[in-house]
């Protein structure tokens, strides 16, 4: 393939005219939140979009770097902030970089041995997700949380592994404060 360039809108935190956009709505998030009843209410009230992943894809083969723009909307399910499903990589020994362009949030991570880590995401913060760690972003702010992500193109996504065990930590708003709880 030939070299190419795409133009990101760094102010808005968007990738205009993506070739592919994956959209996850509330109904795609069943099993993710602590308050399943609150999620069902949200689905019944219009099933809002939780996040979009925009890509101009490259071949999913060794040597290439896949990249995307992750756009996670603000909101809460009960007291729990909107978040992504989270995943390990199908090829587990592959890292990922998230560069936050807009908004405020957290990157929640979990190692295969069950160790947790959490990093703050604000404009300009780069979070390095090491190989083998599951990762989920969480929007604790009032505007979209937008990040540029890059990872080995053959990494793949394994959602089932973390869905079965959970991350072990959740981020809530309690009394107007961002609170991380073990549960
Ligand atoms: Fe990833």
């Amino acid at each position: 393939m030939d070299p190419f360039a795409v133009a990101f809108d760094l102010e808005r935190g968007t990738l205009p005219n993506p070739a592919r956009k994956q959209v996850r709505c509330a109904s795609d998030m069943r099993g993710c939140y602590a308050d399943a009843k609150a999620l069902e209410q949200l689905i019944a009230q219009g099933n809002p979009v939780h996040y979009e992943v925009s890509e101009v894809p490259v071949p999913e083969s060794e040597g290439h770097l896949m990249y995307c723009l992750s756009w996670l909307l603000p909101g809460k399910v009960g007291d729990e902030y909107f978040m992504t499903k989270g995943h390990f990589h199908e090829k587990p020994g592959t890292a990922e970089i998230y560069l936050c362009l807009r908004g405020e949030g957290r990157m929640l991570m979990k190692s295969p041995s069950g160790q947790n880590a959490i990093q703050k995401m604000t404009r300009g913060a780069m979070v390095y997700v090491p190989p083998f760690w599951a990762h989920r972003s969480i929007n604790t702010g009032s505007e979209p949380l937008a990040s540029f992500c890059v990872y080995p193109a053959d990494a793949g996504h394994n959602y089932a592994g973390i869905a079965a065990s959970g991350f072990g930590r959740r981020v809530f708003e309690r009394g107007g404060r961002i609170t991380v709880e073990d549960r």
Side-chain angles (χ1 to χ4, degrees):
M1 66 184 285
D2 292 324
F4 66 93
V6 297
F8 283 81
D9 183 334
L10 296 180
E11 283 312 306
R12 289 197 68 231
T14 58
L15 171 57
N17 307 312
R20 187 162 75 185
K21 189 190 269 193
Q22 296 179 53
V23 180
R24 305 269 194 202
C25 298
S27 57
D28 298 309
M29 301 298 292
R30 288 188 170 105
C32 292
Y33 290 100
D35 190 341
K37 219 182 247 179
L39 181 67
E40 290 305 322
Q41 279 172 8
L42 202 61
I43 294 167
Q45 287 162 7
N47 196 23
V49 171
H50 274 224
Y51 61 101
E52 299 177 352
V53 180
S54 299
E55 296 171 332
V56 177
V58 298
E60 293 178 19
S61 54
E62 192 178 346
H64 283 279
L65 291 173
M66 189 65 79
Y67 62 94
C68 66
L69 191 289
S70 167
W71 178 265
L72 172 60
L73 290 154
K76 286 192 294 275
V77 175
D79 293 335
E80 192 172 9
Y81 292 104
F82 275 15
M83 59 193 185
T84 61
K85 289 165 89 78
H87 57 267
F88 288 103
H89 288 161
E90 199 74 57
K91 196 175 171 181
T94 49
E96 184 160 353
I97 280 171
Y98 280 72
L99 176 63
C100 182
L101 305 179
R102 176 180 175 182
E104 265 197 46
R106 300 286 187 278
M107 179 67 72
L108 176 61
M109 293 164 277
K110 185 183 171 187
S111 75
S113 64
Q115 185 188 348
N116 278 122
I118 194 160
Q119 290 289 339
K120 202 165 180 186
M121 299 176 81
T122 54
R123 181 174 166 83
M126 187 210 78
V127 178
Y128 187 79
V129 181
F132 301 103
W133 286 67
H135 40 288
R136 152 182 287 167
S137 39
I138 300 164
N139 187 343
T140 57
S142 54
E143 60 175 296
L145 179 67
S147 308
F148 171 73
C149 320
V150 59
Y151 54 97
D154 57 344
H157 294 85
N158 169 5
Y159 295 100
I162 197 68
S165 64
F167 276 81
R169 282 192 192 171
R170 295 180 175 280
V171 184
F172 299 93
E173 185 188 78
R174 303 288 196 206
R177 301 186 57 159
I178 298 164
T179 308
V180 181
E181 296 179 8
D182 291 336
R183 53 185 284 188

